[in-house]
Amino acid sequence: MTTSHPEKRVLRLPQFREFNVLAAFVLLCLFFYLQRPDAFAKPANLAIIMRFIATFGMLAIGEVLVIITGGIDLSVGSLIALIGVIVATLMLKGVGGVTVGMVPAILIGLVIGILVGMWHGFFVTRLRIPPFIITLGTWLIAKGLAAFITRGYPVVYPSESPFLFLGQGTIMAIPVMFIILVVIAAVILFILNYTSLGYRIYAVGGNIEAARLSGVNVDRVRVFCYAVSGFLAALTGIMLASRLGQGTPTVGSAYELWAIAGAVIGGTSLKGGEGTVLGAILGAAIVGVMQNGMVLLNVSSYLQDVILGIVLVVAVVYDTLRRREK
Amino acid sequence: MEATTANGLLLQVRGASKAFGGVRALDRVDFEVYPGEVVALLGENGAGKSTLMKILAGVYRPDEGEFYLAGRPYAPRTPHEAQQLGISTIYQEFNLTPNQSAAVNIFLGREPHRGGTLGRLVGFVDRPRMNKEAAQLLARVGARFKPDTLVRHLSVAQQQTVEIAKALAIKAQVIIMDEPTSALGEEEVAVLFDIIRSLKAQGIAVIFITHRLEEVFRVADRIIVLRDGRRVGTLPIAEATPEKIIGLMVGRVLDRSQAHISHARAGEPVLEVRGLTRRGVIHDVSFTVHRGEILGIAGLVGAGRTETARAIFGADPLDAGEILIEGKRVTITSPTEAVRHGLALVPESRQLHGLILISSVARNIALPNLDRLSRRSVVSGRRLRTLVTNYVTRLNIRTPSIVQPVNRLSGGNQQKVVVAKWLASQPKVLILDEPTRGIDVGAKAEVYAIMRNLAEQGIGIIMISSEMPEILAMSDRILVMHEGRVAGILDRAEATQELIMAYASGTLRLQE
Ligand SMILES: Nc1ncnc2c1ncn2[C@@H]1O[C@H](COP(=O)(O)OP(=O)(O)OP(=O)(O)O)[C@@H](O)[C@H]1O
Ligand SMILES: [Mg+2]
């Protein structure tokens, strides 16, 4: 996206906010690098950071879509665990003794994610249930189901399973997970900025009634966004199961909050109508780098949460003040 | 009560300037109000009227300028402070809480307490006293409803009187009204003007903004005109004529003849509506719009005109009735389908229903036209820009660029964006609900010209309007509604203001 792009001026509102987030990210990296020059920039550590970014970035993209339309998706953290467990169970234990191959198992997992998202969309649009409530319901259900299916124990992949490549493999030193994120981000970015669907998504979030009266099928737009969020949660669940080498019901706890935090740090407005893919990824990157950096600095895990919480509050306050100034 | 300066001024502004980014909204404007005076502030869309008023109301801070109220320097930092100092503003969007009574709203934040110091501490509201005082205030503005009526049960005009009573409660010396008549019907406007006259008699000054010139002659004592952020003149009402005022506003002579040569060439019906019913709102509404025809819909506020338009457009569900487009029966259950069948609706409330306020001019105009602007779902930036620029020029929408968020445009320019987005959709039937609300004379003429032009191209047009001159000048036929029913349909030749009012008020009925 160069400035000479003929569409750019029309298609995107100037988003200087992203530069701020980018600057904050670079400064953070610099800070951790100066603190631990020995460890931070090591290829192994960079790979860890990239996997963090891939995880939170993927989820944050889903949240951005949903939040732009004025909703929220709290289910993703548990959905990660449920899909990871389902895919592992299908591949390793099977249903009624019949196991499923890797590709079909992954596809089933992704389809379930999409269906759960559409289910949310149905409740939000047709039954007018607040998104907070319906996705919180799924959060509980998915969490319970994941534990129930596995009776609480992880389903462990054999160490030679090709499935592990997704989460553990690299291509030219770049984790596969990160590459998947880049591809997904490019697709969603394209949809949001260059297609009529993208225009409609922003319109729905900006003023749903005006969008409806402009002939936009607002229900379909919202269902789409929830479906994408469900799909991305499923994809993240599969990647994490692969990275951990197991489908486990305990993975992904509170990840929905990290994802929302990432989106908000990246400039998404919880009031709807505003938010970008780039912002979400950068916000998620800040969350990811901080988590990694604090481990490197031996910050107590309790304090880590405190610091991340403070960062979130500061970022949102800063953004709100800056916006009010205009 | 009113202290004034040596020169007798209640409010004096000298050299007020305000810029938004590169846009110079006000450029060294002088402004003055005498005690008990009614000042009409006039100017084209984007001239800076609302900006000046928002500075007085404490919403914006001026970049420069001297301000004096009753001889003392006046620099409110918040709307609250402005009210305390004596200037209250009545905005188009009222600041009332719908689920509370008129009295509660009038005294919001300043409720009288009972029970001495303890009562004050715990906030024990003295309801009887509050209601009594509210009743007195409401009587001063001629309101005929009880102070304990919930705001949501009040009409728009009544809510406006609550706002004015609220201003009186704060002991306002100056009351600012920004386009107070634009949401009112003819009769309610008359009531509002009575209120303004009585405020004047009580020594309160009123500044009011309007785009309807005839109103100026009914209440104003003096006119101040802004153009492009500068003050271009002031006229005592005795010396003012519409031509002079318009000359000052636009800086040139404008042909105001709106009457048009009837273009109804008795084309075939393009929209037929039969027995439209939405229980409790509209009953058995039937009419036909022909190709190339402008059908005006008149009626009092609340007669079901907007509801009829919304029902046709699929915005509200129908209980009974059928709709035919080009002779074919269609079912329209959503605006999406309506647009697909070639209908367009410019809604009544631009802020609530017409615009994505945080979004750009370009995106707003593009929204109903996305399918036409994109190939395989990918929006063509080039086509989009061509379309948008075309309409921005034709309607003279004042905006620094087409990517400007519409909430940064003046009210009238926002209205032009709504009109533009639907004109651009090239509909078979265009429904306009109060299309010229808040837009200036020049833009009105432009909208009328475009309507005629569309009619000549064979588009059927329905225009809902509360402005009698507009209805009479533009319509080929006039449908008058009363209490949710069609009271009468008049031909252009037989229509007069009196006849329309007779049908609208229910004194005349359509013969079966
Ligand atoms: N918040 C804002 N940000 C940027 N520009 C603004 C803002 N408010 C007003 N403007 C610009 O300042 C100019 C004056 O606007 P203003 O609202 O005062 O016009 P107005 O005389 O009230 O017009 P109208 O009759 O259409 O209501 C316009 O060009 C408008 O686009
Ligand atoms: Mg204005």
Side-chain angles (χ1 to χ4, degrees), chain B residues 50 178-179 411:
Chain B
S50 297
D178 196 345
E179 302 194 25

Side-chain angles (χ1 to χ4, degrees), chain B residues 254-378:
Chain B
L254 202 78
D255 178 19
R256 262 230 307 169
S257 61
Q258 337 179 309
H260 71 142
I261 299 94
S262 177
H263 27 62
R265 287 158 303 172
E268 61 270 40
V270 58
L271 173 74
E272 288 165 77
V273 170
R274 292 186 194 147
L276 228 53
T277 300
R278 187 165 148 66
R279 235 166 267 129
V281 189
I282 49 174
H283 312 278
D284 197 22
V285 173
S286 303
F287 60 84
T288 303
V289 185
H290 302 90
R291 253 183 228 296
E293 180 184 41
I294 300 180
L295 176 73
I297 302 190
L300 302 179
V301 171
R305 297 171 301 167
T306 295
E307 288 72 14
T308 304
R310 287 178 57 93
I312 296 172
F313 197 64
D316 296 325
L318 274 177
D319 291 321
E322 55 181 28
I323 296 170
L324 287 82
I325 291 176
E326 293 179 328
K328 279 194 285 288
R329 244 203 92 159
V330 294
T331 40
I332 295 175
T333 57
S334 72
T336 313
E337 284 166 359
V339 171
R340 204 175 296 139
H341 285 298
L343 300 186
L345 170 67
V346 172
E348 184 179 23
S349 163
R350 58 175 171 258
Q351 304 243 340
L352 292 180
H353 301 143
L355 293 170
I356 318 291
L357 282 171
I358 57 171
S359 199
S360 66
V361 172
R363 279 177 178 260
N364 271 285
I365 295 180
L367 195 56
N369 306 304
L370 284 172
D371 287 336
R372 212 151 39 83
L373 293 172
S374 43
R375 191 173 296 143
R376 274 189 250 107
S377 288
V378 179

Side-chain angles (χ1 to χ4, degrees), chain B residues 20 23 25 43-52 60 178-179 211 398 404 407-413 438:
Chain B
F20 297 102
V23 181
E44 288 184 291
N45 297 132
K49 304 180 295 293
S50 297
T51 305
L52 180 58
Y60 295 149
D178 196 345
E179 302 194 25
H211 286 289
R398 289 214 194 159
Q404 180 85 343
N407 56 10
R408 307 250 185 98
L409 302 188
S410 78
N413 283 300

Side-chain angles (χ1 to χ4, degrees), chain B residues 84-96:
Chain B
Q84 296 302 315
L85 292 171
I87 297 191
S88 283
T89 304
I90 289 143
Y91 297 100
Q92 254 186 273
E93 289 77 32
F94 303 136
N95 297 311
L96 299 174

